[in-house]
């Protein structure tokens, strides 16, 4: 790929270039196992109907490891941009499974010296983490309206009369108690993926305008191990078999673009990229649901709730996706991915709230048409983001043909060191005052007089 090099202009007021209170993404991954001290669960509440346990279900570890890996691995390897410190793993008794079972394959071990599990999957720890997100207690970050929350769960579950509980290491947590905890947490959006038996019983408590919910089964159903139909899903390694949940196999594979068997990017000869319904190189949570529900081969019924219609514009990589023209005034906050060319149409306004992080991928640009407006808040950062080096970033820009309002300490940067256009005033001749704006690997273009103040 040829990249055109542009001279870039740097305007910066010392002391004002740091972006305060940046948005973050947080994840809580929970896999518990009921204590042997409790009365045995009935078979319809045990994962996989109690079949194939053999002392312990290896998919409990394999699947939570896969989710942790996908969220935290480098962007260049298809990671979803979560900081490892922001992903909390509550697993079993509190130790990584490979520390308890020496025969765990290298595929399901972290790098030497690295630990995946943060806490045991106990009620007290679930309460601690989620309460900490709500109020900042116990050293946790208190989430704000700009932050994103992803919760994934696995293990045994129980259900009765439409209500459900997730079994933890020594106790359980009901759908009502769980909802009371997460309802207190602020976020721009919340996404729930639940794989345990009877997980669909959580939907009424967790659904909402800023929430996307997806579970493996109904409230009165058990959830099941992947069945290797019509092709291999549980991968053989060194003569053993590494198992997965049917739900998680499809969710992980479609979102990751690769199955748990590394290097395999198809399923039953169908490219996993087919999950990308709008071809923007980013799998939304709705697209992952659509793939899973149409490739499910187990006798379980996935449940989805999207009351606020956020599923198609929400992904784990970018909590807010922009890929369509703005034909009705809109506003966004938090972490945003511009994945296709977006035009703000005449008479409409696009508002980007304070501290938003706006990533441009796929050569995308935002064009503010004549008669339209773009309002940029304080401490907003625009980022050229091309982790795979597959696009031509020189095409990306904010093109202004209409009106623009820019707050203080706005930054234009490049995550991968590629040059791009930055801010392009098209057919404008009026002067504009920039306050503490920083340009890195990009610049400002057009017939416009610039002065800093």
């Amino acid at each position: 790929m040829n990249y055109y090099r542009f001279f870039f202009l740097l305007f910066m007021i010392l002391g004002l270039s740091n972006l305060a209170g940046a948005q973050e993404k947080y994840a809580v991954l929970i896999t518990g196992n009921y204590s042997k001290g409790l009365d045995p669960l009935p078979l319809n509440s045990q994962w996989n109907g109690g079949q194939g346990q053999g002392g312990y279900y290896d998919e409990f570890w394999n699947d939570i490891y896969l989710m942790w890996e996908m969220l935290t691995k480098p962007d260049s390897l298809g990671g979803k941009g979560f900081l490892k410190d922001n992903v909390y793993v509550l697993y079993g008794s509190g130790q990584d499974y490979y520390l308890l079972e020496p025969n765990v394959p290298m595929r399901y071990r972290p790098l030497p010296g690295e630990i995946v599990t943060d806490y045991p999957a106990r009620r007290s720890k679930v309460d601690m983490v989620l309460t900490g997100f709500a109020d900042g207690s116990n050293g946790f970050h208190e989430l704000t309206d700009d932050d994103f929350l992803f919760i994934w769960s696995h293990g045994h579950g129980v259900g009765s009369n439409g209500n459900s509980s997730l079994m933890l290491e020594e106790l359980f947590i009901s759908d009502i108690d769980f909802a009371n905890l997460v309802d207190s947490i602020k976020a721009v959006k919340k996404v729930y993926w639940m794989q345990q038996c009877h997980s669909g019983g959580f939907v009424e408590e967790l659904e909402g305008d800023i929430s996307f919910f997806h579970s493996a089964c109904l409230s009165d159903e058990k959830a099941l191990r992947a069945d290797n139909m019509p092709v291999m899903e549980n991968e053989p390694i060194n003569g053993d078999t590494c198992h997965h949940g049917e739900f998680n196999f499809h969710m992980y594979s479609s979102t990751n673009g690769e199955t748990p068997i590394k290097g395999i990017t198809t399923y039953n000869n169908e490219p996993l990229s087919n999950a990308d319904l709008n071809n923007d190189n980013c799998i939304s949570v709705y697209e992952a649901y659509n793939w899973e529900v149409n490739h499910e081969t187990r006798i379980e019924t996935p449940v989805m709730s999207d009351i606020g219609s956020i599923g198609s514009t929400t992904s784990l990589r970018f909590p807010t996706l922009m890929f369509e023209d703005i034909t009705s005034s809109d506003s966004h906050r938090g972490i945003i991915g511009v994945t296709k060319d977006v035009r703000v149409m005449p008479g409409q306004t696009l508002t980007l709230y304070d501290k938003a992080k706006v990533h441009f991928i796929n050569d995308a640009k935002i064009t503010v048409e004549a008669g339209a407006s773009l309002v940029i808040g304080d401490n907003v950062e625009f980022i050229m983001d091309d982790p795979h080096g597959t696009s031509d970033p020189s095409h990306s820009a904010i093109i202004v043909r209409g009106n623009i309002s820019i707050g203080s300490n706005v930054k234009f940067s490049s995550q991968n060191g590629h040059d791009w256009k930055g801010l392009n005033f098209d057919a404008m001749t009026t002067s504009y005052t920039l306050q503490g704006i920083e340009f890195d690997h990009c610049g400002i273009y057009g017939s416009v007089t610039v002065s800093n103040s």
Side-chain angles (χ1 to χ4, degrees):
M1 181 71 70
N2 292 320
Y3 293 97
Y4 297 97
R5 307 293 294 179
F6 287 89
F7 292 106
F8 65 87
L9 186 62
L10 176 66
F11 295 97
M12 181 174 67
I13 296 180
L14 295 176
L16 294 180
S17 61
N18 292 328
L19 301 180
Q23 292 75 44
E24 299 288 354
K25 299 184 294 185
Y26 294 85
V28 182
L29 312 179
I30 306 170
T31 297
N33 188 24
Y34 72 95
S35 170
K36 303 302 184 292
L38 293 177
D39 291 335
L41 291 171
L43 288 180
N44 68 349
S45 293
Q46 293 185 37
W47 167 256
N48 204 42
Q51 302 301 306
Q53 182 167 9
Y56 202 79
Y57 294 109
D58 66 300
E59 56 262 47
F60 283 4
W61 172 251
N62 297 340
D63 285 356
I64 201 169
Y65 181 88
L66 287 174
M67 296 306 302
W68 172 84
E69 178 188 68
M70 181 176 70
L71 296 179
T72 63
K73 65 185 177 181
D75 292 351
S76 60
L77 299 178
K80 303 308 171 188
F82 284 72
L83 299 175
K84 288 184 178 179
D85 286 347
N86 291 352
V87 178
Y88 292 86
V89 176
L90 286 70
Y91 170 76
S93 61
Q95 286 187 288
D96 288 359
Y97 186 45
Y98 75 92
L99 297 174
L100 304 172
E101 174 50 67
N103 294 323
V104 172
M106 293 302 297
R107 173 69 182 89
Y108 294 101
R109 296 169 180 257
L111 294 174
E114 191 167 32
I115 299 296
V116 174
T117 303
D118 296 291
Y119 303 109
R122 295 177 182 153
R123 175 64 189 266
S124 61
K125 299 304 181 183
V126 173
D127 288 354
M128 179 184 73
V129 173
L130 297 181
T131 300
F133 282 171
D135 61 17
S137 59
N138 295 306
F140 288 89
H141 172 74
E142 180 181 349
L143 272 62
T144 72
D145 291 331
D146 296 317
D147 295 319
F148 174 70
L149 178 62
F150 173 58
I151 295 179
W152 175 95
S153 62
H154 192 7
H156 299 294
V158 296
S160 177
N161 299 320
N163 292 109
S164 299
S165 295
L166 171 65
M167 300 304 299
L168 300 173
E169 178 64 14
E170 86 294 22
L171 292 171
F172 61 85
I173 185 166
S174 71
D175 47 9
I176 295 174
D177 289 346
F178 194 82
N180 286 337
L181 290 169
V182 296
D183 284 349
S184 299
I185 301 173
K186 295 179 180 178
V188 61
K189 294 179 182 178
K190 301 173 184 178
V191 171
Y192 305 95
W193 290 357
M194 290 190 154
Q195 187 167 223
Q196 72 275 5
C197 294
H198 305 282
S199 48
F202 280 76
V203 63
E204 290 185 359
E205 286 73 25
L206 296 180
E207 62 187 359
D209 289 341
I210 64 167
S211 298
F212 184 91
F213 176 91
H214 183 191
S215 69
C217 60
L218 295 171
S219 63
D220 59 353
E221 288 181 329
K222 60 188 176 185
L224 300 163
R225 173 181 282 180
D227 56 7
N228 287 341
M229 292 181 62
V231 294
M232 185 177 296
E233 297 167 341
N234 301 303
E235 76 263 39
I237 299 179
N238 299 328
D240 200 359
T241 300
C242 295
H243 297 96
H244 306 286
E246 177 80 10
F247 171 86
N248 201 64
F249 174 86
H250 291 298
M251 296 301 292
Y252 171 85
S253 299
S254 59
T255 303
N256 189 52
E258 180 182 67
T259 73
I261 305 175
K262 289 189 175 182
I264 303 299
T265 59
T266 62
Y267 180 75
N268 195 28
N269 296 320
E270 180 183 2
L272 290 168
S273 59
N274 283 1
D276 187 7
L277 300 176
N278 67 342
N279 298 310
D280 71 343
N281 295 318
C282 194
I283 303 299
S284 71
V285 292
Y286 173 78
E287 289 171 330
Y289 159 78
N290 182 72
W291 174 277
E292 188 269 332
V293 77
N294 285 297
H295 293 80
E296 174 80 49
T297 54
R298 278 296 205 175
I299 303 175
E300 55 187 24
T301 310
V303 175
M304 186 271 280
S305 175
D306 187 14
I307 290 177
S309 299
I310 64 171
S312 63
T313 56
T314 302
S315 74
L316 299 185
R317 180 68 180 90
F318 303 111
T320 295
L321 297 171
M322 293 178 58
F323 51 81
E324 295 180 321
D325 291 345
I326 307 298
T327 57
S328 179
S329 293
D330 205 354
S331 58
H332 297 299
R333 65 191 326 127
I335 300 172
I336 301 161
V338 183
T339 61
K340 286 188 172 183
D341 288 355
V342 172
R343 294 186 301 159
V344 186
M345 303 305 289
Q348 309 307 319
T349 298
L350 171 62
T351 301
L352 302 173
Y353 286 118
D354 294 354
K355 301 178 291 183
K357 292 180 179 179
V358 185
H359 296 250
F360 291 82
I361 68 172
N362 305 328
D363 308 335
K365 57 181 175 288
I366 295 175
T367 300
V368 184
E369 300 289 6
S373 299
L374 174 63
V375 178
I376 302 172
D378 296 338
N379 300 301
V380 173
E381 183 174 9
F382 298 96
I383 306 163
M384 164 46 57
D385 189 344
D386 182 30
H388 304 292
T390 56
S391 63
D392 186 350
S394 65
H395 293 167
S396 293
I398 295 178
I399 300 173
V400 182
R401 296 169 181 159
N403 304 306
I404 186 170
S405 171
I406 304 178
S408 299
N409 310 321
V410 172
K411 182 177 181 180
F412 290 74
S413 65
S414 176
Q415 184 160 302
N416 310 100
H418 298 303
D419 291 343
W420 60 298
K421 284 288 186 63
L423 187 57
N424 188 344
F425 287 87
D426 188 5
M428 291 185 65
T429 58
T430 59
S431 63
Y432 203 85
T433 300
L434 303 180
Q435 300 182 13
I437 293 187
E438 178 182 343
F439 293 91
D440 181 16
H441 284 278
C442 61
I444 186 167
Y445 299 87
S447 302
V448 57
T449 301
V450 179
S451 62
N452 278 325
S453 67

